[in-house]
Amino acid sequence: MLKSFVLQMARRGFLASSMRETRRQKCSECFKEVYQWKNKDNRPTEHCEINVAEEAKRANLSLETIYHLENLSLVDFSSGAAIARLASAIRYADRLKDIDVSGVEPLFSLLENETLPLREDEITEGQQKEDVIRNAKVTFEDFYVAPPGNIALEQDKKYDSFLNNESPLNAGQQKELSSVELKKVRRQA
Amino acid sequence: MATTVRTAFVRNAPNTRLPLTSIAQFLSHINQERLSALNLIEAYHQHVQHAQAESNAYTSDLTVNIDAPQVQAMLDGLSQPRLMAVPFAVKDNFCVQENITSCASLMLQDFVPAYTATVVQRLLNAGALLVGKTNMDEFAMGSGSIDSWRGAVTNPWDTTRIAGGSSGGSAAAVASRSAIFALGSDTGGSVRNPASYCGLVGYKPSYGHVSRHGLIPLVNSTDVPAIFTHVVEDARTVYDVIAGPDAKDSTCLTTPPPPQRDSKLNKVKVGIPQELNVPEYQPYLGFWRSVAERLEEHGAEVVPVSLPHSEYANACYTVLCACDVASNMARYDGVEFGHRSTASDVSTNAMYAATRHEGFNEVVRGRILAGNFFLLKRSQQEYFLYAAKVRRLIVQDFTKVFDKEVDVLCMPVTFGVAPTLEEFKKLDNRTQQELQDLFTVAASLAGLPAISVPIAMEGHLPVGIQLVAPNRQDNFLLDVAQHVESLYKFHEKFSLGL
């Protein structure tokens, strides 16, 4: 019985040769390949949070900036992986700094040397109110309807643990929806 | 016409015998056969359904909208427009009146425009028949057409592989012969890339030559409506129909193009950009050298040229694209059109945020956030303005090379053949774009006409070569592309067994 117990433990990777019992899988958050114990819920746990903090530091991305960007864009990152992706985009853009641009004017339009045509201020078409307004989900008597304005967006501080590198979130305590699950939900829709 | 067709891939094709390959072949076929309009429309419908089932190429099947009496009049010879009854498809970011235009996104899943894009209207006026709107990367952000709310597009040559992006659906539609030509939008390579992966001609005209009215914008200063066909001659025909001034798009030039350069092969000087011709890439780019050699054999002068800033073109595009996206996507707030969230009505900001979280996928949201980062007061100087200056240097590189050294540049479109879906998904959308756009983005930033011509098969998959011409030398480029096409005769030698 002891022998079978030992064999069982060996198979489960509790001995020195237990490296065979790890699995090479991809972190669902940051897409890096990691060696993970074959635990039953198969989620890489502490790996990602630590990575996000590093990436953000390398790209000089502070927590304050993250929340500020969400406020400006009115979209959310929704996962640590998204923060890491922004950090990697910033570091990719940093390559431009190798180039000397002194004395160079920025180019905003390829047509900067052309004279663009203007037209007379004459009404040539229109009368399409129905076609236009039917695209709005909520209307009232030909008015568009919006909720009250001038109220700041309430932001829940969900990235503090990522970037302050506190005790990492474990698998059980995940935030609302990881990017992978969100994709699945949307595909099914 | 007798052609040798080596069947690369045999499938369960629809039961019809329409040669939807080139306009000339198609027109001569319908002139010979006495077809009825209803049979023709039914045949188109079957082709579209087949392409949809095989490759997920379409977001909507518009064969039901085709006006049978109008088609019958054309078949009876009562009217003979230039593109009579030719079936075509357009990417789902071109507005078509009274039909859903979704950009493959939940945000616009039931958006019905009140107008039709100019280029689409011109094609309809020329007698062509719109058979469907095609699938794409959401809001044209991506290089594989896998990040679509409607699911990934697969390559008709091998459905375990990507079709390329972001106009993958249009490429799959033409490659699987459900349409003779299709429109896509090329902002950083989005038509040339899938053209190479799907064995088609992918032609991006000069910026400013084709109206963008009705094309939902991604990067306003590089977007160009672009064309997929099987042969260069058809690309020229379609271009002639859609190009030209438009009162509704003031970035569509009214001045005529300059005199075109001499396009006879023995008068043409071809440049090979050296910065991209590096040893690390050689295993993937063997065909590049063989194209250069064949051009030389046929009389062209082939010389190495230097585009010193071309290796930074991708980084420059990353910044400028994100900035334009941050601005262009600001209009989606759920109030006037598009998806509107019911999760929160506490305030406009809360509703906007919920709408945009639900309506956009990760890629779009990521780019908006990146764009707003590059536009922050503290980053504007070092990112946005810096990238705009680098863009000028890239344009100057091309101008110098075309003024003094060569007439046309020859380089790859992609690193070889289409990768599998699995392989492609290993990198996230943005990182993948660093590889996919490497050869195509510089021509977009400079607004130059560029074309991908299919040349060979590697195994069971096609690959193409890219030609880039000086600004506004579109007819010259098409001539040279036709010469290259005739050296390889890809379209005659290889085809999907349909």
Side-chain angles (χ1 to χ4, degrees):
Chain A
M1 194 170 135
L2 181 62
K3 186 176 168 190
S4 69
F5 171 75
V6 168
L7 281 171
Q8 240 183 355
M9 292 295 108
R11 249 182 279 122
R12 286 196 208 149
F14 280 84
L15 299 181
S17 59
S18 57
M19 278 311 283
R20 272 176 281 137
E21 289 299 308
T22 56
R23 177 206 309 242
R24 205 160 131 240
Q25 53 178 345
K26 206 184 303 175
C27 168
S28 58
E29 284 297 299
C30 70
F31 304 100
K32 286 212 164 57
E33 285 200 338
V34 292
Y35 281 95
Q36 285 289 311
W37 295 108
K38 271 191 186 171
N39 50 14
K40 57 178 183 211
D41 59 356
N42 288 333
R43 290 190 65 97
T45 52
E46 287 140 47
H47 162 78
C48 197
E49 281 74 296
I50 296 169
N51 245 349
V52 172
E54 253 178 47
E55 294 278 321
K57 201 193 279 188
R58 270 196 278 174
N60 282 331
L61 205 54
S62 71
L63 199 57
E64 198 199 331
T65 307
I66 303 279
Y67 291 126
H68 183 47
L69 285 175
E70 284 199 333
N71 216 357
L72 278 179
S73 317
L74 290 179
V75 298
D76 62 323
F77 282 93
S78 83
S79 72
I83 297 174
R85 283 196 289 271
L86 173 60
S88 117
I90 295 169
R91 287 198 5 260
Y92 188 58
D94 281 337
R95 296 183 61 211
L96 292 174
K97 296 185 182 157
D98 295 343
I99 307 177
D100 176 21
V101 294
S102 44
V104 181
E105 286 296 304
L107 188 149
F108 299 117
S109 168
L110 294 163
L111 308 177
E112 57 187 3
N113 296 322
E114 302 279 346
T115 306
L116 298 184
L118 300 175
R119 61 183 178 86
E120 292 304 313
D121 188 14
E122 280 168 5
I123 301 175
T124 51
E125 58 185 17
Q127 304 293 319
Q128 287 183 289
K129 180 180 69 173
E130 301 306 327
D131 292 339
V132 172
I133 210 164
R134 86 179 144 181
N135 278 311
K137 292 287 184 301
V138 180
T139 56
F140 179 76
E141 298 267 318
D142 285 354
F143 283 90
Y144 293 120
V145 177
N150 278 329
I151 301 173
L153 182 70
E154 231 179 73
Q155 290 177 295
D156 52 339
K157 301 289 186 188
K158 51 193 175 184
Y159 308 123
D160 285 23
S161 67
F162 282 104
L163 296 192
N164 286 336
N165 215 5
E166 287 165 0
S167 54
L169 300 174
N170 63 32
Q173 256 183 37
Q174 279 298 328
K175 54 240 174 284
E176 299 85 63
L177 216 52
S178 81
S179 56
V180 172
E181 284 159 292
L182 198 66
K183 259 190 222 166
K184 278 201 205 132
V185 167
R186 292 153 65 73
R187 291 276 153 73
Q188 283 158 17
Chain B
M1 114 179 155
T3 57
T4 38
V5 167
R6 191 192 319 169
T7 309
F9 220 100
V10 181
R11 301 275 197 71
N12 294 326
N15 231 345
T16 54
R17 287 283 177 270
L18 287 179
L20 298 183
T21 51
S22 74
I23 296 176
Q25 215 175 9
F26 172 77
L27 289 178
S28 84
H29 177 86
I30 61 172
N31 275 331
Q32 285 164 15
E33 311 279 314
R34 284 277 143 250
L35 291 169
S36 82
L38 289 175
N39 284 341
L40 198 65
I41 296 171
E42 178 56 32
Y44 291 164
H45 176 70
Q46 277 185 33
H47 280 275
V48 167
Q49 292 299 319
H50 176 68
Q52 181 56 22
E54 290 285 320
S55 305
N56 197 18
Y58 285 90
T59 54
S60 57
D61 176 353
L62 299 182
T63 49
V64 290
N65 288 352
I66 298 177
D67 183 33
Q70 181 207 8
V71 177
Q72 194 62 58
M74 287 196 273
L75 293 174
D76 293 339
L78 297 172
S79 70
Q80 298 261 300
R82 193 166 178 185
L83 295 174
M84 55 181 265
V86 172
F88 75 108
V90 300
K91 189 174 179 183
D92 206 10
N93 59 356
F94 285 91
C95 290
V96 177
Q97 196 166 11
E98 288 165 28
N99 286 293
I100 293 176
T101 295
S102 70
C103 294
S105 174
L106 192 154
M107 185 63 87
L108 292 179
Q109 57 173 323
D110 46 20
F111 170 66
V112 179
Y115 57 93
T116 300
T118 298
V119 290
V120 177
Q121 192 58 59
R122 286 179 180 177
L123 289 166
L124 294 172
N125 293 345
L129 301 177
L130 181 60
V131 298
K133 307 293 289 302
T134 59
N135 205 354
M136 51 190 275
D137 274 309
E138 190 164 324
F139 283 109
M141 299 188 204
S143 45
S145 301
I146 61 166
D147 286 309
S148 160
W149 182 61
R150 302 288 294 269
V153 180
T154 55
N155 195 317
W157 294 85
D158 179 346
T159 51
T160 64
R161 296 185 182 250
I162 61 166
S166 57
S167 311
S170 285
V174 177
S176 63
R177 313 234 186 130
S178 57
I180 293 181
F181 68 91
L183 293 186
S185 66
D186 191 314
T187 306
S190 295
V191 161
R192 288 163 283 160
N193 175 298
S196 172
Y197 286 155
C198 293
L200 299 172
V201 171
Y203 166 47
K204 179 195 92 71
S206 299
Y207 180 82
H209 272 202
V210 183
S211 169
R212 291 180 299 114
H213 172 75
L215 168 62
I216 296 176
L218 176 65
V219 183
N220 302 62
S221 63
T222 62
D223 280 349
V224 183
I227 306 161
F228 289 102
T229 58
H230 284 284
V231 291
V232 176
E233 187 188 334
D234 287 353
R236 192 194 293 273
T237 307
V238 176
Y239 171 71
D240 284 342
V241 172
I242 63 173
D246 180 18
K248 295 181 185 172
D249 177 5
S250 73
T251 62
C252 197
L253 297 168
T254 48
T255 51
Q260 303 291 289
R261 300 193 186 193
D262 194 339
S263 59
K264 288 195 275 297
L265 262 188
N266 54 11
K267 296 279 194 320
V268 163
K269 274 174 135 179
V270 179
I272 307 288
Q274 288 309 295
E275 282 76 12
L276 300 169
N277 193 13
V278 295
E280 298 97 73
Y281 299 160
Q282 288 319 312
Y284 311 100
L285 304 179
F287 55 91
W288 190 10
R289 174 185 293 279
S290 77
V291 172
E293 283 167 6
R294 199 179 280 208
L295 286 170
E296 238 173 352
E297 280 166 31
H298 284 84
E301 194 184 328
V302 178
V303 295
V305 294
S306 172
L307 295 169
H309 300 99
S310 60
E311 54 183 309
Y312 298 98
N314 227 344
C316 176
Y317 176 78
T318 299
V319 175
L320 295 177
C321 177
C323 294
D324 265 21
V325 162
S327 169
N328 282 328
M329 297 294 128
R331 69 193 70 180
Y332 300 105
D333 55 20
V335 177
E336 298 96 338
F337 58 90
H339 176 67
R340 180 176 179 136
S341 171
T342 46
S344 171
D345 247 5
V346 165
S347 65
T348 46
N349 279 348
M351 193 276 275
Y352 293 175
T355 295
R356 289 155 73 82
H357 172 88
E358 292 167 17
F360 291 144
N361 70 6
E362 281 271 333
V363 177
V364 178
R365 301 209 305 270
R367 257 192 231 195
I368 295 171
L369 290 159
N372 276 320
F373 176 84
F374 295 132
L375 290 169
L376 288 174
K377 256 194 239 172
R378 77 188 93 124
S379 345
Q380 236 186 59
Q381 251 330 98
E382 62 181 295
Y383 290 103
F384 176 60
L385 291 173
Y386 215 98
K389 294 177 184 179
V390 171
R391 184 177 183 181
R392 185 176 294 283
L393 292 173
I394 292 170
V395 173
Q396 283 173 354
D397 280 355
F398 280 113
T399 313
K400 189 168 74 69
V401 154
F402 283 132
D403 273 350
K404 301 200 169 46
E405 297 173 40
V406 294
D407 301 306
V408 68
L409 295 172
C410 171
M411 52 190 150
V413 189
T414 52
F415 279 106
V417 298
T420 57
L421 274 145
E422 255 184 67
E423 189 63 40
F424 190 80
K425 284 188 198 172
K426 283 189 183 162
L427 294 175
D428 67 280
N429 185 294
R430 193 205 67 76
T431 319
Q432 187 63 255
Q433 209 154 357
E434 287 176 28
L435 294 174
Q436 297 294 326
D437 280 357
L438 190 71
F439 298 106
T440 51
V441 80
S444 293
L445 287 172
L448 303 175
I451 191 167
S452 168
V453 180
I455 50 169
M457 300 286 278
E458 281 184 20
H460 65 292
L461 296 162
V463 73
I465 197 78
Q466 185 182 193
L467 299 166
V468 180
N471 196 23
R472 309 200 70 186
Q473 293 277 330
D474 291 73
N475 283 315
F476 164 73
L477 176 71
L478 288 166
D479 288 343
V480 176
Q482 238 167 337
H483 290 314
V484 172
E485 180 186 52
S486 66
L487 294 180
Y488 285 92
K489 295 192 174 29
F490 178 91
H491 174 64
E492 287 166 36
K493 285 194 214 156
F494 308 106
S495 83
L496 282 170
L498 290 174

